[in-house]
Short mmCIF file of all heavy atoms in Angstrom, two decimals:
data_model
loop_
_atom_site.label_atom_id
_atom_site.label_comp_id
_atom_site.label_asym_id
_atom_site.label_seq_id
_atom_site.Cartn_x
_atom_site.Cartn_y
_atom_site.Cartn_z
N MET A 185 0.25 -21.35 14.65
CA MET A 185 1.16 -22.26 13.94
C MET A 185 0.54 -22.87 12.70
O MET A 185 1.19 -22.98 11.65
CB MET A 185 1.63 -23.37 14.90
CG MET A 185 2.71 -24.26 14.30
SD MET A 185 4.18 -23.32 13.77
CE MET A 185 4.77 -22.70 15.34
N THR A 186 -0.74 -23.26 12.78
CA THR A 186 -1.40 -23.87 11.62
C THR A 186 -1.44 -22.90 10.45
O THR A 186 -1.14 -23.26 9.30
CB THR A 186 -2.83 -24.30 11.97
OG1 THR A 186 -2.79 -25.25 13.04
CG2 THR A 186 -3.52 -24.93 10.76
N GLU A 187 -1.79 -21.64 10.75
CA GLU A 187 -1.85 -20.64 9.69
C GLU A 187 -0.46 -20.31 9.16
O GLU A 187 -0.29 -20.08 7.95
CB GLU A 187 -2.53 -19.37 10.22
CG GLU A 187 -2.96 -18.41 9.13
CD GLU A 187 -3.84 -17.27 9.65
OE1 GLU A 187 -4.13 -17.25 10.87
OE2 GLU A 187 -4.23 -16.42 8.84
N LEU A 188 0.54 -20.32 10.04
CA LEU A 188 1.91 -20.08 9.60
C LEU A 188 2.36 -21.15 8.60
O LEU A 188 2.99 -20.83 7.59
CB LEU A 188 2.86 -20.05 10.79
CG LEU A 188 2.92 -18.78 11.64
CD1 LEU A 188 3.77 -19.00 12.88
CD2 LEU A 188 3.47 -17.61 10.82
N ARG A 189 2.03 -22.40 8.88
CA ARG A 189 2.43 -23.49 7.99
C ARG A 189 1.76 -23.34 6.63
O ARG A 189 2.41 -23.46 5.58
CB ARG A 189 2.09 -24.84 8.61
CG ARG A 189 2.92 -25.23 9.81
CD ARG A 189 2.80 -26.72 10.09
NE ARG A 189 3.38 -27.08 11.37
CZ ARG A 189 2.70 -27.26 12.49
NH1 ARG A 189 1.38 -27.11 12.49
NH2 ARG A 189 3.31 -27.59 13.61
N LEU A 190 0.44 -23.11 6.64
CA LEU A 190 -0.30 -22.98 5.39
C LEU A 190 0.19 -21.78 4.58
O LEU A 190 0.39 -21.87 3.37
CB LEU A 190 -1.80 -22.84 5.68
CG LEU A 190 -2.50 -24.07 6.26
CD1 LEU A 190 -3.93 -23.71 6.67
CD2 LEU A 190 -2.52 -25.20 5.25
N MET A 191 0.40 -20.68 5.27
CA MET A 191 0.85 -19.48 4.58
C MET A 191 2.29 -19.63 4.12
O MET A 191 2.67 -19.10 3.06
CB MET A 191 0.70 -18.27 5.51
CG MET A 191 0.60 -16.95 4.78
SD MET A 191 0.13 -15.61 5.90
CE MET A 191 -1.59 -16.02 6.20
N GLY A 192 3.09 -20.36 4.88
CA GLY A 192 4.47 -20.59 4.49
C GLY A 192 4.56 -21.29 3.15
O GLY A 192 5.43 -20.97 2.32
N THR A 193 3.66 -22.23 2.92
CA THR A 193 3.64 -22.93 1.64
C THR A 193 3.35 -21.97 0.50
O THR A 193 4.01 -22.00 -0.55
CB THR A 193 2.56 -24.04 1.66
OG1 THR A 193 2.87 -24.97 2.69
CG2 THR A 193 2.50 -24.76 0.32
N VAL A 194 2.38 -21.08 0.70
CA VAL A 194 2.02 -20.10 -0.33
C VAL A 194 3.18 -19.13 -0.59
O VAL A 194 3.48 -18.81 -1.75
CB VAL A 194 0.75 -19.33 0.07
CG1 VAL A 194 0.47 -18.20 -0.91
CG2 VAL A 194 -0.44 -20.27 0.13
N VAL A 195 3.80 -18.66 0.47
CA VAL A 195 4.91 -17.71 0.31
C VAL A 195 6.07 -18.36 -0.42
O VAL A 195 6.67 -17.77 -1.33
CB VAL A 195 5.37 -17.16 1.68
CG1 VAL A 195 6.62 -16.31 1.53
CG2 VAL A 195 4.25 -16.33 2.32
N GLU A 196 6.40 -19.60 -0.07
CA GLU A 196 7.49 -20.30 -0.76
C GLU A 196 7.16 -20.53 -2.23
O GLU A 196 8.02 -20.38 -3.10
CB GLU A 196 7.79 -21.62 -0.05
CG GLU A 196 8.49 -21.45 1.29
CD GLU A 196 8.82 -22.77 1.94
OE1 GLU A 196 8.90 -23.78 1.22
OE2 GLU A 196 9.00 -22.80 3.18
N GLN A 197 5.92 -20.90 -2.51
CA GLN A 197 5.50 -21.07 -3.90
C GLN A 197 5.63 -19.77 -4.68
O GLN A 197 6.04 -19.76 -5.85
CB GLN A 197 4.05 -21.58 -3.95
CG GLN A 197 3.87 -23.02 -3.51
CD GLN A 197 2.40 -23.41 -3.42
OE1 GLN A 197 1.51 -22.56 -3.40
NE2 GLN A 197 2.14 -24.72 -3.34
N THR A 198 5.28 -18.67 -4.01
CA THR A 198 5.39 -17.36 -4.65
C THR A 198 6.84 -17.01 -4.95
O THR A 198 7.17 -16.54 -6.04
CB THR A 198 4.77 -16.28 -3.74
OG1 THR A 198 3.41 -16.61 -3.46
CG2 THR A 198 4.81 -14.91 -4.41
N LEU A 199 7.72 -17.27 -3.99
CA LEU A 199 9.14 -16.98 -4.19
C LEU A 199 9.72 -17.83 -5.31
O LEU A 199 10.55 -17.36 -6.09
CB LEU A 199 9.91 -17.21 -2.89
CG LEU A 199 9.66 -16.20 -1.76
CD1 LEU A 199 10.37 -16.62 -0.49
CD2 LEU A 199 10.12 -14.81 -2.19
N ARG A 200 9.28 -19.08 -5.40
CA ARG A 200 9.77 -19.95 -6.49
C ARG A 200 9.28 -19.46 -7.85
O ARG A 200 10.02 -19.50 -8.84
CB ARG A 200 9.31 -21.39 -6.27
CG ARG A 200 10.03 -22.10 -5.14
CD ARG A 200 9.78 -23.60 -5.13
NE ARG A 200 10.55 -24.24 -4.08
CZ ARG A 200 10.10 -24.46 -2.85
NH1 ARG A 200 8.86 -24.07 -2.54
NH2 ARG A 200 10.86 -25.04 -1.95
N LYS A 201 8.04 -18.99 -7.89
CA LYS A 201 7.50 -18.48 -9.15
C LYS A 201 8.24 -17.21 -9.57
O LYS A 201 8.52 -17.01 -10.76
CB LYS A 201 6.01 -18.18 -9.00
CG LYS A 201 5.35 -17.73 -10.30
CD LYS A 201 3.84 -17.62 -10.14
CE LYS A 201 3.19 -17.23 -11.46
NZ LYS A 201 1.70 -17.15 -11.33
N LEU A 202 8.57 -16.37 -8.61
CA LEU A 202 9.27 -15.12 -8.91
C LEU A 202 10.75 -15.31 -9.17
O LEU A 202 11.38 -14.49 -9.84
CB LEU A 202 9.09 -14.14 -7.74
CG LEU A 202 7.67 -13.59 -7.52
CD1 LEU A 202 7.58 -12.91 -6.17
CD2 LEU A 202 7.29 -12.62 -8.64
N ASN A 203 11.31 -16.42 -8.63
CA ASN A 203 12.75 -16.67 -8.75
C ASN A 203 13.00 -18.11 -9.20
O ASN A 203 13.57 -18.91 -8.45
CB ASN A 203 13.45 -16.41 -7.41
CG ASN A 203 13.15 -15.04 -6.83
OD1 ASN A 203 13.79 -14.06 -7.18
ND2 ASN A 203 12.18 -14.96 -5.93
N PRO A 204 12.58 -18.47 -10.41
CA PRO A 204 12.69 -19.86 -10.86
C PRO A 204 14.12 -20.36 -10.95
O PRO A 204 14.36 -21.57 -10.98
CB PRO A 204 12.03 -19.83 -12.25
CG PRO A 204 12.13 -18.41 -12.69
CD PRO A 204 12.00 -17.60 -11.45
N GLU A 205 15.08 -19.44 -10.99
CA GLU A 205 16.48 -19.85 -11.11
C GLU A 205 17.10 -20.26 -9.78
O GLU A 205 18.19 -20.83 -9.74
CB GLU A 205 17.30 -18.69 -11.71
CG GLU A 205 17.63 -17.54 -10.77
CD GLU A 205 16.44 -16.61 -10.48
OE1 GLU A 205 15.36 -16.82 -11.05
OE2 GLU A 205 16.60 -15.67 -9.68
N LEU A 206 16.41 -19.99 -8.67
CA LEU A 206 16.97 -20.26 -7.35
C LEU A 206 16.73 -21.71 -6.91
O LEU A 206 15.69 -22.29 -7.18
CB LEU A 206 16.37 -19.31 -6.31
CG LEU A 206 16.67 -17.81 -6.48
CD1 LEU A 206 16.09 -17.03 -5.31
CD2 LEU A 206 18.17 -17.56 -6.59
N SER A 207 17.70 -22.25 -6.19
CA SER A 207 17.57 -23.59 -5.61
C SER A 207 16.68 -23.52 -4.38
O SER A 207 16.35 -22.43 -3.88
CB SER A 207 18.94 -24.12 -5.22
OG SER A 207 19.49 -23.32 -4.16
N ASP A 208 16.30 -24.69 -3.86
CA ASP A 208 15.48 -24.72 -2.65
C ASP A 208 16.19 -24.04 -1.49
O ASP A 208 15.57 -23.32 -0.70
CB ASP A 208 15.15 -26.18 -2.28
CG ASP A 208 14.13 -26.79 -3.22
OD1 ASP A 208 13.51 -26.04 -4.00
OD2 ASP A 208 13.94 -28.03 -3.18
N ASP A 209 17.52 -24.29 -1.37
CA ASP A 209 18.28 -23.66 -0.28
C ASP A 209 18.29 -22.14 -0.45
O ASP A 209 18.17 -21.40 0.55
CB ASP A 209 19.71 -24.19 -0.27
CG ASP A 209 19.80 -25.60 0.27
OD1 ASP A 209 18.82 -26.07 0.87
OD2 ASP A 209 20.85 -26.26 0.05
N ALA A 210 18.42 -21.68 -1.68
CA ALA A 210 18.45 -20.24 -1.94
C ALA A 210 17.10 -19.60 -1.64
O ALA A 210 17.04 -18.47 -1.15
CB ALA A 210 18.86 -19.97 -3.38
N ILE A 211 16.03 -20.33 -1.92
CA ILE A 211 14.68 -19.84 -1.60
C ILE A 211 14.54 -19.67 -0.09
O ILE A 211 14.01 -18.66 0.40
CB ILE A 211 13.59 -20.81 -2.13
CG1 ILE A 211 13.52 -20.75 -3.65
CG2 ILE A 211 12.23 -20.47 -1.51
CD1 ILE A 211 13.02 -19.45 -4.23
#
Side-chain angles (χ1 to χ4, degrees):
M185 187 56 65
T186 300
E187 195 170 359
L188 281 172
R189 290 197 191 99
L190 292 172
M191 203 169 289
T193 299
V194 173
V195 173
E196 288 182 22
Q197 288 173 345
T198 303
L199 290 174
R200 288 192 177 92
K201 184 173 182 179
L202 292 167
N203 307 276
E205 76 285 357
L206 295 184
S207 65
D208 287 348
D209 286 346
I211 289 293

